[in-house]
Amino acid sequence: MSTGPSVADRAPGPVLAVDVGGTKLAAAVVEPDGTIAVQGAVPTPAGGDTATVTAALHRVVRQVVGDRDPATLTGLGVGSAGPLDPAAGTVSPVNIHAWRDFGILDSLRPLLPGRPAVLAGDGHCMALGEHWRGGYPGRALLGMVVSTGVGGGLVIDGRVHPGGSGNAGHIGHIVVDMAGPPCPCGGRGCVEAIASGPAMVRWAVDQGWTPGDRPGDARTLAEDARAGVPLAVAAFRRGATALAAAVVSTTALIELGDVVIGGGVAAAGDLLFAPLRAAVAELAGLDFVRRVRIHTSSLGNDAGLLGAAALALEAAARQ
Ligand SMILES: [Zn+2]
């Protein structure tokens, strides 16, 4: 059954966890039982040069380490927006232009000399964090982040399924409409091309929806959907159906028990989850597929940090 957390529980002490995103850089000291001892975050200077972004990263790390003797930290786990190369320890986040093949593990290793350092995708860390601390200990869990893109990660038998290059779990690029719109990935008809915030807004605008003098974003679209504006309601239903198609297909393939969904668009709550559950019920046929459970993230932004910590704890326990 679940091997990750039990290994993590044998780790000798707290670890340093880092979460790199396009809008914020977060760090935490996490105890072996998953308690966050201290955490902090700074806005990502996304347009800054390499030195500026790297300085911000080190600042938030120093802030959480505080007066603690770094030698008491037994490992480092980093979750980052992709693309990334876990084996090389390098990241090239789409929204952080200054970091291209940036050696994030090499940059942080001097803080924890001799300790293991692990890098994984932010979607992988979110899924692992939810599996470990979110209360979903089943055999197969899909974590999804639905915001300006659609990301995710798979946890199977307690472990992240990374794939050969560390890129498995890209649920946003499952094709759900063979005649669908082009996707930022270069493909066509992907979940992300239909269900991301910008994709839902684009579709609604194409159909004649206007935000008026408000920002033309997913939050405004959600506001109108909540007020019952038909095109906004339809945009959410269409996005939710694309997510449902991906969930149903993935469940048929690997028998998912739980799907945990976080991110800005998921914050719309029932606007998204009600049509999503309805679409799963409509699209799924086989009993074991119909049984899949869909949850809103209970850990929110902490999930990524906890997943990065779980990877570090596991590495420390093996050392
Ligand atoms: Zn795609």
Side-chain angles (χ1 to χ4, degrees):
M1 278 292 286
S2 173
T3 53
S6 57
V7 172
D9 289 342
R10 293 199 300 272
V15 293
L16 178 63
V18 172
D19 183 25
V20 173
T23 56
K24 69 176 174 55
L25 303 171
V29 172
V30 180
E31 302 290 347
D33 67 358
T35 307
I36 296 179
V38 53
Q39 66 179 316
V42 296
T44 305
D49 60 14
T50 306
T52 307
V53 185
T54 308
L57 172 72
H58 283 250
R59 190 161 67 245
V60 69
V61 165
R62 273 199 308 275
Q63 184 190 321
V64 300
V65 172
D67 296 334
R68 185 186 296 266
D69 177 1
T72 61
L73 298 171
T74 61
L76 166 69
V78 177
S80 175
L84 48 80
D85 183 339
T90 58
V91 299
S92 312
V94 172
N95 294 317
I96 305 178
H97 304 288
W99 279 359
R100 286 294 168 268
D101 294 324
F102 173 68
I104 192 163
L105 293 187
D106 283 347
S107 170
L108 293 172
R109 265 194 190 104
L111 297 168
L112 286 82
R115 301 302 196 184
V118 191
L119 170 66
D122 51 1
H124 294 180
C125 289
M126 179 268 189
L128 188 58
E130 291 287 352
H131 182 268
W132 183 32
R133 300 295 297 170
Y136 313 113
R139 295 199 72 142
L141 176 143
L142 171 68
M144 295 179 83
V145 179
V146 185
S147 62
T148 53
V150 176
L154 276 174
V155 175
I156 299 172
D157 290 341
R159 296 191 165 276
V160 168
H161 176 71
S165 72
N167 283 294
H170 265 80
I171 188 74
H173 303 287
I174 297 256
V175 175
V176 291
D177 181 353
M178 288 184 288
C183 181
C185 74
R188 178 175 285 278
C190 301
V191 177
E192 181 168 306
I194 298 171
S196 73
M200 290 201 292
V201 168
R202 203 175 309 117
W203 181 84
V205 167
D206 284 350
Q207 306 300 308
W209 176 74
T210 52
D213 51 9
R214 299 163 299 167
D217 58 18
R219 192 173 299 213
T220 304
L221 188 68
E223 202 175 285
D224 277 7
R226 205 164 283 122
V229 174
L231 276 177
V233 172
F236 269 88
R237 189 176 302 139
R238 182 170 178 270
T241 305
L243 295 171
V247 165
V248 166
S249 302
T250 307
T251 305
L253 189 64
I254 62 162
E255 196 172 346
L256 289 172
D258 298 282
V259 178
V260 184
I261 306 179
V265 174
D270 271 355
L271 276 184
L272 186 74
F273 284 86
L276 172 53
R277 292 194 178 99
V280 167
E282 191 188 321
L283 295 173
L286 298 169
D287 278 347
F288 79 93
V289 180
R290 297 180 67 82
R291 279 198 295 267
V292 65
R293 295 171 297 268
I294 295 167
H295 317 272
T296 179
S297 166
S298 58
L299 300 174
N301 291 331
D302 289 349
L305 280 171
L306 287 166
L311 291 173
L313 288 162
E314 213 175 87
R318 275 201 230 97
Q319 208 187 27

